[in-house]
Amino acid sequence: DGGITQSPKYLFRKEGQNVTLSCEQNLNHDAMYWYRQDPGQGLRLIYYSQIVNDFQKGDIAEGYSVSREKKESFPLTVTSAQKNPTAFYLCASIPTGKMNTEAFFGQGTRLTVV
Amino acid sequence: DAKTTQPNSMESNEEEPVHLPCNHSTISGTDYIHWYRQLPSQGPEYVIHGLTSNVNNRMASLAIAEDRKSSTLILHRATLRDAAVYYCILRDDNAGNMLTFGGGTRLMVKP
């Protein structure tokens, strides 16, 4: 089945460590997004990518990095520079040039700093 | 980017209709209105979208004001499974495929 998969579902990180969250889609979508969600809050955009080998910063990119080497994959690295990384992270994808289509979301990764 | 404004929370009784409002007074002519909902600890799921005309699907109806500055998501008979946060967002692929979410409306359904 086509879809978007995030892994792992839960992730624990020690302070000062970098961690990478995986996002894979087999929908042949061009655009992919990473969001952060804090408890009781809405989604805030971290990074997005419209095509392979290109990405742009969202509203809260500091302390995060991404890559887009393949169309199917858009991993997010939470670096030690991110001072408050504990949050729920969501990945999404959409086909470009088609405003009347839906966005697909993964089931999220819950990151906890211990 | 065009923004949307929604009430923080709403309550409904089970089996009754629910009207969730969204204001988007700065909407442009090329913005589509999309609605998503998010259950606890899950990713958002698509509900419905429209441009100018009212839309119906198996999940809900979308009523769009004539001036397009507001819209209303209608759940015809709320069930307990409809309790979620509902997000109204504007999509304009001419604006770099931005997909920007606001705070959403938390819908509580009482049995």
Side-chain angles (χ1 to χ4, degrees):
Chain A
D1 286 3
I4 183 165
T5 303
Q6 290 185 241
S7 61
K9 188 170 183 179
Y10 299 96
L11 186 58
F12 296 89
R13 187 194 97 172
K14 293 183 179 179
E15 283 194 38
Q17 284 183 338
N18 292 356
V19 288
T20 297
L21 283 59
S22 170
C23 179
E24 303 278 333
Q25 53 97 1
N26 60 1
L27 300 163
N28 200 34
H29 287 173
D30 297 302
M32 298 185 73
Y33 304 79
W34 273 106
Y35 295 90
R36 170 183 172 135
Q37 188 173 36
D38 293 289
Q41 305 296 312
L43 281 67
R44 291 187 290 167
L45 183 63
I46 305 172
Y47 268 99
Y48 67 104
S49 168
Q50 298 183 60
I51 57 172
V52 174
N53 293 322
D54 187 50
F55 48 83
Q56 288 79 40
K57 293 181 179 180
D59 299 320
I60 56 165
E62 186 174 350
Y64 300 98
S65 66
V66 293
S67 63
R68 187 83 188 276
E69 297 176 2
K70 299 186 300 182
K71 190 175 187 178
E72 302 80 19
S73 179
F74 190 40
L76 173 75
T77 297
V78 184
T79 74
S80 57
Q82 171 49 240
K83 297 306 179 189
N84 186 22
T86 295
F88 189 48
Y89 291 87
L90 287 158
C91 180
S93 71
I94 56 172
T96 55
K98 297 179 181 179
M99 292 177 283
N100 59 346
T101 57
E102 64 188 271
F104 288 81
F105 283 82
Q107 288 303 297
T109 293
R110 191 168 298 280
L111 173 64
T112 303
V113 173
V114 296
Chain B
D1 295 335
K3 302 293 185 190
T4 62
T5 304
Q6 299 176 255
N8 289 335
S9 64
M10 292 184 65
E11 268 190 12
S12 172
N13 294 317
E14 199 175 10
E15 302 294 318
E16 291 185 356
V18 182
H19 290 230
L20 298 166
C22 181
N23 288 322
H24 27 78
S25 58
T26 59
I27 191 171
S28 73
T30 53
D31 282 332
Y32 277 74
I33 302 159
H34 283 241
W35 284 81
Y36 290 79
R37 72 179 187 182
Q38 186 179 23
L39 299 171
S41 297
Q42 294 188 26
E45 64 172 341
Y46 167 81
V47 177
I48 200 167
H49 76 273
L51 183 63
T52 56
S53 303
N54 295 343
V55 184
N56 300 296
N57 67 20
R58 63 174 180 81
M59 290 182 71
S61 296
L62 176 61
I64 301 173
E66 195 170 333
D67 63 5
R68 300 212 324 128
K69 293 186 177 182
S70 65
S71 61
T72 302
L73 179 70
I74 303 166
L75 306 178
H76 295 287
R77 290 179 62 204
T79 70
L80 297 179
R81 289 176 296 179
D82 291 323
V85 178
Y86 287 80
Y87 295 98
C88 166
I89 68 171
L90 303 180
R91 273 195 58 189
D92 180 2
D93 283 358
N94 294 325
N97 288 311
M98 291 303 295
L99 198 61
T100 304
F101 284 74
T105 297
R106 182 173 301 276
L107 175 66
M108 293 168 279
V109 180
K110 296 183 291 184

